[in-house]
Amino acid sequence: MLKFLKGVVGGSGAGLKDLPYNIGDPYPSAWGSWSHFRGTSKDDGSPVSIFSLSGSNPQDGHLAAGRNGVKRLRTVRHPNILSFLHSTEVESFDGSSSKVTIYIVTEPVMPLSEKIKELGLEGTQRDEYYAWGLHQIAKAVSFLNNDCKLLWMVQVHGNVCLSSVVVTQTLDWKLYAFDVLSEYDGANATATGPMLQYEWLVGSQYKPTELAKCDWATIRKSPPWAIDSWGLGCLIYEIFSGMKLGKTEELRNTASIPKSLLPDYQRLLSSMPSRRLNTSKLIENSEYFQNKLVDTIHFMEILSLKDSVEKDTFFRKLPNLAEQLPRPIVLKKLLPLLASALEFGSAAAPALTALLKMGSWLSAEEFSLKVLPTIVKLFASNDRAVRVALLQHIDQFGESLSAQVVDEQVYPHVATGFADTSAFLRELTLKSMLIVAPKLSQRTLSGSLLKYLSKLQVDEEPAIRTNTTILLGNIASYLNEGTRKRVLINAFTVRALRDTFSPARGAGVMALCATSSYYDMTEIATRILPNIVVLIIDPDSDVRSKAFQAVDQFLQIVKQYNEKGNAEDTSGAGSLGISSMPGNASLLGWAMSSLTLKGKASDQAPVATANSVTPATTTASTASSGLIETPSTAPVHRVSSSTDFADQPMPPSPTSTDGWGEIENGIHEEHDSDKDGWDDIEPLDEPKPSSALANIQAAQKRPVSQPVSQPKPQASTSLRPKSTVKAAKDEDDDLWGSIAAAPPKSASRPLNVKTAGAVDDDDPWAAIAAPPPTTKVKPLSAGRGRGNRAAAPKLGAQRINRTSSTGM
């Protein structure tokens, strides 16, 4: 017998010492003489149920039966039998009298009668739920009557009724009240006494004829399920009639029994014990249990035994099926099953759609508790289908994720999609950043996300390049000021505006307009307007239209700045901007899917020149840009166009994927395009010769000790001074610094002044080298330029060199 404890305070046991649970409010009903209380654990506060049974005499028969129930409940384990957690027996003293109380702690449950009133189900949904509950109780009874013989002797519950059934938090029905439970000894021919020692606890209305007469000989000759099958028939009557059974004769009233269940109901209540229906047969053959709810829950419970085809078919139908099932059952039973299946990998990716649909019926707090933890764990899945499903539905749960969870647990897994070999997954990952980026820290934004976006802006898929520009425009407000200064203009002008894909160029224009408030007047005048103006003669009409609107917007900003030029505080005016312009709403929308562009070369390279321009690494462009160029090994796509704007060359599509800071193809051509646009224009004023003559005179006065061994100057060396190399070394090695656009040349400044000013300290002749030609020279027909060497000019450095030698 359990050890007696002392020390009970007044009341119904609340405040019991040494019991690791807190006793709460009681339920209005319980089986027999037991009381049923709500309770919580003292360790973690988790909910429990506490049953108590009291008696004034330790030898009281109710207490003896209660101890039998505790022993049976502790040893019998089954999914449809109440789960035992803890028990204790306490003896308290009140003056000369004593009181003994037995406590049983179980999983949190509620009496079935109370739960039915709380749910308030009607019609078909009520019948489906009752079918599921009866199916569970029938399995529990079948386990006792048929399967226990494999472990112990066959058991007889003895009092199956409405009061002996409780409901869990997931709305499962469970059998308890094991006080009367005994072994079936029908095989013992010599037994003569009562088989059920505590049968006197069973109400007379629940006793079959043989038990009411205490005909133990007939009972022992009957099947082991005879008594419990009768009790199951009593339970069916009580739940469908909505009232407790008052007397045995009421069982004849079958008006409330469903027609599909009526034949089995009548067999359960047969007057002949040997003809009563075995509960195992009831489960297998009854038409009543074949409904959508029972089939759905049964499929989920044996999900691990199903093959992939069955799982996929089931989960694709589940979202629509869930709408037809009782809503409380879906949220409290199916949803936890589905979340568990996804978390442990037994559910297919389409199950996520059903999970989110069910989750949408929850409150915000319940969604965060029941659904979000599973979703966060799914982001660590290696299943590509699961990752795709998460990214496709991130808009449904992204707002519910906290910033800390996104930054620490979600983003590290999502970011792997940026480098995925699947273009579809890269595109989904990119689009998901519209929801993820606002919750990222500045460290993650600048140190990780922007690096991935720099590579995606030169992705092989044109739609991904376009969407990257759109994303940058949308998340610009979340970047700090220093990052915006370093990133936005470079990304939009150097990359987007020079993309061969026309929607990408249009996106670049719109992104600049949407982020106009982040640029100062110097950036607008020297870096933005010069790059946008070129697009007003773009081959694509949509790009031209957006370019005209952008020019008007930025000119308006400049005009506003000029009008306030006389104000004392002009520093704030530099940030004047118009946040949006007509038609700018399209910036928030994504470009078309990259999958629709597969195999459409005409769409991927819609812009080209009539005279297809091949990128050439000229010394003049190198000198003007201050960057050291390396030959590009990527192939250049050349597509002829018959448009009126074909004379305006567009650079080839960038194909380098090594980051914004190291673009080899499609970015350096920026300087060539600038030169192509202005070098064929004659300077307005002749350059002042005084500066050049001063350099010549200084070179002539410098003694030359070895005229014979002096190397012969070349025009190319004069056009590539070492100062450009030093500038490249001093270039900011930041991720975006290396692609900063060079300030545009002024039309009023002669083009040859810059060349003349670039003096090589080691070459005195470089200062008087001939300027580059002012007219554009078309490249050779081969266009490759790899094995062709330009002929040495006949003027400039060679002529001066011969004169110097003669002077010697």
Side-chain angles (χ1 to χ4, degrees):
M1 186 173 61
L2 298 173
K3 181 181 180 181
F4 286 90
L5 301 177
K6 297 181 179 180
V8 178
V9 296
S12 60
L16 177 65
K17 294 181 179 179
D18 299 327
L19 183 67
Y21 299 93
N22 298 315
I23 300 177
D25 299 330
Y27 287 102
S29 63
W31 180 86
S33 301
W34 288 87
S35 298
H36 184 186
F37 299 89
R38 299 173 178 88
T40 56
S41 172
K42 292 181 180 179
D43 294 334
D44 55 7
S46 58
V48 296
S49 281
I50 300 176
F51 297 86
S52 67
L53 177 65
S54 300
S56 58
N57 185 357
Q59 304 303 322
D60 189 340
H62 289 86
L63 291 177
R67 296 185 186 103
N68 178 66
V70 172
K71 181 181 70 174
R72 303 290 184 177
L73 190 62
R74 183 192 293 113
T75 56
V76 179
R77 299 287 184 172
H78 188 270
N80 303 120
I81 293 177
L82 184 62
S83 298
F84 173 89
L85 298 178
H86 182 80
S87 68
T88 188
E89 186 172 334
V90 177
E91 182 178 6
S92 60
F93 297 91
D94 185 9
S96 59
S97 62
S98 65
K99 179 182 179 182
V100 178
T101 305
I102 299 174
Y103 292 96
I104 304 176
V105 183
T106 69
E107 61 181 315
V109 290
M110 176 184 288
L112 176 58
S113 57
E114 301 298 324
K115 179 57 70 173
I116 289 176
K117 295 177 183 178
E118 180 183 293
L119 293 176
L121 298 176
E122 296 179 354
T124 304
Q125 291 190 346
R126 185 203 68 166
D127 290 345
E128 288 181 346
Y129 179 58
Y130 286 176
W132 169 245
L134 288 172
H135 185 270
Q136 292 180 301
I137 297 302
K139 287 196 297 183
V141 173
S142 177
F143 171 76
L144 295 174
N145 298 158
N146 301 286
D147 302 330
C148 268
K149 62 184 177 180
L150 299 177
L151 303 175
W152 311 285
M153 295 181 64
V154 174
Q155 309 288 313
V156 178
H157 185 278
N159 192 24
V160 178
C161 61
L162 184 65
S163 298
S164 62
V165 178
V166 289
V167 184
T168 66
Q169 292 180 327
T170 57
L171 301 183
D172 291 315
W173 291 16
K174 294 203 173 186
L175 185 65
Y176 87 115
F178 283 6
D179 295 23
V180 187
L181 189 141
S182 300
E183 288 84 3
Y184 174 77
D185 60 352
N188 187 0
T190 61
T192 58
M195 188 177 69
L196 301 179
Q197 182 178 359
Y198 304 104
E199 57 83 19
W200 51 271
L201 291 173
V202 181
S204 60
Q205 70 272 29
Y206 296 113
K207 290 182 178 181
T209 304
E210 68 275 13
L211 184 59
K213 296 179 179 180
C214 294
D215 188 356
W216 300 112
T218 302
I219 293 174
R220 285 187 171 89
K221 294 178 181 179
S222 303
W225 58 81
I227 295 177
D228 288 341
S229 292
W230 180 277
L232 189 59
C234 296
L235 173 62
I236 292 174
Y237 173 82
E238 288 182 315
I239 63 173
F240 283 106
S241 64
M243 62 183 71
K244 287 190 175 184
L245 182 64
K247 52 184 178 179
T248 306
E249 288 73 15
E250 294 177 357
L251 295 172
R252 300 179 184 275
N253 183 8
T254 60
S256 60
I257 308 299
K259 293 182 179 180
S260 58
L261 186 59
L262 183 59
D264 293 327
Y265 171 76
Q266 293 172 337
R267 292 184 63 187
L268 288 170
L269 297 174
S270 175
S271 58
M272 299 180 61
S274 60
R275 299 186 62 182
R276 289 178 192 149
L277 181 64
N278 189 345
T279 51
S280 63
K281 301 298 182 182
L282 174 68
I283 299 171
E284 296 173 359
N285 302 325
S286 179
E287 178 185 352
Y288 178 70
F289 296 117
Q290 299 175 4
N291 61 56
K292 292 178 291 187
L293 179 62
V294 175
D295 293 341
T296 301
I297 297 178
H298 180 67
F299 189 97
M300 289 295 301
E301 289 182 337
I302 61 173
L303 188 62
S304 58
L305 303 178
K306 302 295 183 178
D307 58 37
S308 58
V309 176
E310 291 176 312
K311 291 180 182 179
D312 189 72
T313 303
F314 172 78
F315 287 122
R316 292 187 186 280
K317 295 180 180 179
L318 186 57
N320 294 330
L321 183 61
E323 295 182 349
Q324 306 171 24
L325 301 177
R327 185 64 53 84
I329 317 301
V330 171
L331 297 181
K332 295 186 178 182
K333 177 62 180 179
L334 280 180
L335 182 61
L337 286 175
L338 190 58
S340 177
L342 278 168
E343 185 174 342
F344 293 102
S346 57
L352 185 64
T353 304
L355 179 72
L356 293 175
K357 184 167 187 176
M358 296 177 187
S360 65
W361 300 332
L362 296 171
S363 63
E365 294 181 359
E366 291 179 322
F367 184 84
S368 299
L369 293 174
K370 297 181 179 180
V371 179
L372 281 186
T374 299
I375 291 177
V376 171
K377 292 179 181 179
L378 287 179
F379 275 104
S381 173
N382 293 326
D383 188 346
R384 180 171 290 181
V386 172
R387 292 164 57 195
V388 168
L390 285 170
L391 295 177
Q392 286 177 328
H393 298 91
I394 196 171
D395 58 320
Q396 299 181 29
F397 59 85
E399 296 299 330
S400 302
L401 295 170
S402 65
Q404 182 179 2
V405 170
V406 171
D407 196 53
E408 297 178 359
Q409 301 180 47
V410 174
Y411 174 77
H413 298 294
V414 174
T416 59
F418 286 123
D420 197 275
T421 56
S422 170
F424 180 61
L425 191 53
R426 294 199 305 274
E427 186 178 33
L428 286 177
T429 304
L430 178 67
K431 292 181 177 181
S432 70
M433 289 300 108
L434 195 59
I435 295 182
V436 174
K439 298 178 181 291
L440 296 178
S441 63
Q442 286 297 322
R443 179 179 181 181
T444 304
L445 280 172
S446 303
S448 177
L449 179 58
L450 293 181
K451 291 183 179 179
Y452 286 117
L453 297 184
S454 70
K455 295 183 179 180
L456 289 183
Q457 226 185 0
V458 288
D459 193 89
E460 61 182 3
E461 292 292 337
I464 293 180
R465 301 197 301 269
T466 305
N467 286 337
T468 303
T469 302
I470 294 173
L471 176 65
L472 278 171
N474 279 285
I475 68 173
S477 60
Y478 306 110
L479 303 176
N480 58 43
E481 183 178 359
T483 304
R484 287 197 295 261
K485 291 286 186 181
R486 188 176 72 252
V487 171
L488 295 184
I489 295 182
N490 290 330
F492 296 151
T493 61
V494 179
R495 290 282 182 83
L497 299 188
R498 283 158 176 74
D499 200 297
T500 58
F501 189 53
S502 58
R505 299 195 299 276
V509 175
M510 302 300 289
L512 284 170
C513 294
T515 56
S516 60
S517 60
Y518 302 130
Y519 312 126
D520 56 33
M521 289 302 104
T522 302
E523 292 172 330
I524 292 176
T526 61
R527 301 184 63 185
I528 296 178
L529 279 174
N531 284 284
I532 295 180
V533 167
V534 177
L535 297 181
I536 63 176
I537 54 173
D538 190 271
D540 187 270
S541 60
D542 184 58
V543 176
R544 295 197 302 270
S545 175
K546 292 177 180 177
F548 276 112
Q549 295 177 13
V551 170
D552 292 341
Q553 176 178 345
F554 283 104
L555 285 179
Q556 182 66 24
I557 296 174
V558 176
K559 289 179 181 178
Q560 293 177 7
Y561 177 78
N562 184 54
E563 291 173 357
K564 295 184 179 182
N566 295 328
E568 294 181 357
D569 186 8
T570 59
S571 59
S575 61
L576 277 174
I578 302 176
S579 60
S580 62
M581 68 183 207
N584 198 28
S586 62
L587 178 65
L588 300 177
W590 297 110
M592 67 294 295
S593 173
S594 61
L595 299 182
T596 62
L597 301 173
K598 283 287 187 180
K600 296 184 180 181
S602 60
D603 293 341
Q604 295 185 23
V607 289
T609 60
N611 303 323
S612 300
V613 179
T614 303
T617 310
T618 62
T619 57
S621 65
T622 304
S624 62
S625 65
L627 298 177
I628 300 177
E629 298 189 7
T630 57
S632 174
T633 58
V636 178
H637 302 279
R638 301 191 299 175
V639 182
S640 60
S641 174
S642 59
T643 178
D644 295 338
F645 300 94
D647 293 336
Q648 294 298 325
M650 298 299 299
S653 172
T655 57
S656 174
T657 58
D658 55 353
W660 273 321
E662 300 177 6
I663 301 305
E664 295 185 49
N665 192 10
I667 299 303
H668 294 310
E669 285 78 8
E670 167 202 3
H671 309 294
D672 294 336
S673 62
D674 291 342
K675 184 171 287 297
D676 293 341
W678 296 99
D679 283 4
D680 56 353
I681 299 178
E682 294 295 333
L684 297 178
D685 299 325
E686 290 298 330
K688 296 180 180 181
S690 58
S691 175
L693 291 177
N695 292 332
I696 294 174
Q697 293 173 359
Q700 291 176 341
K701 293 179 181 180
R702 182 179 300 176
V704 181
S705 59
Q706 294 180 355
V708 178
S709 61
Q710 182 177 358
K712 192 174 184 180
Q714 298 292 334
S716 60
T717 56
S718 64
L719 293 178
R720 188 185 297 270
K722 292 185 178 180
S723 61
T724 61
V725 178
K726 297 179 181 179
K729 292 181 180 178
D730 294 337
E731 187 78 22
D732 184 7
D733 58 356
D734 185 78
L735 173 67
W736 303 85
S738 60
I739 60 167
K745 308 176 185 67
S746 174
S748 62
R749 182 179 178 182
L751 296 178
N752 59 353
V753 172
K754 182 190 299 185
T755 306
V759 180
D760 192 339
D761 296 334
D762 298 333
D763 188 0
W765 309 107
I768 58 173
T774 57
T775 58
K776 178 180 177 181
V777 181
K778 293 184 178 181
L780 298 178
S781 59
R784 305 295 180 182
R786 201 163 187 82
N788 301 328
R789 177 179 299 175
K794 296 181 179 180
L795 299 177
Q798 290 183 347
R799 177 179 301 174
I800 297 172
N801 190 23
R802 289 196 299 270
T803 304
S804 176
S805 300
T806 306
M808 290 296 294

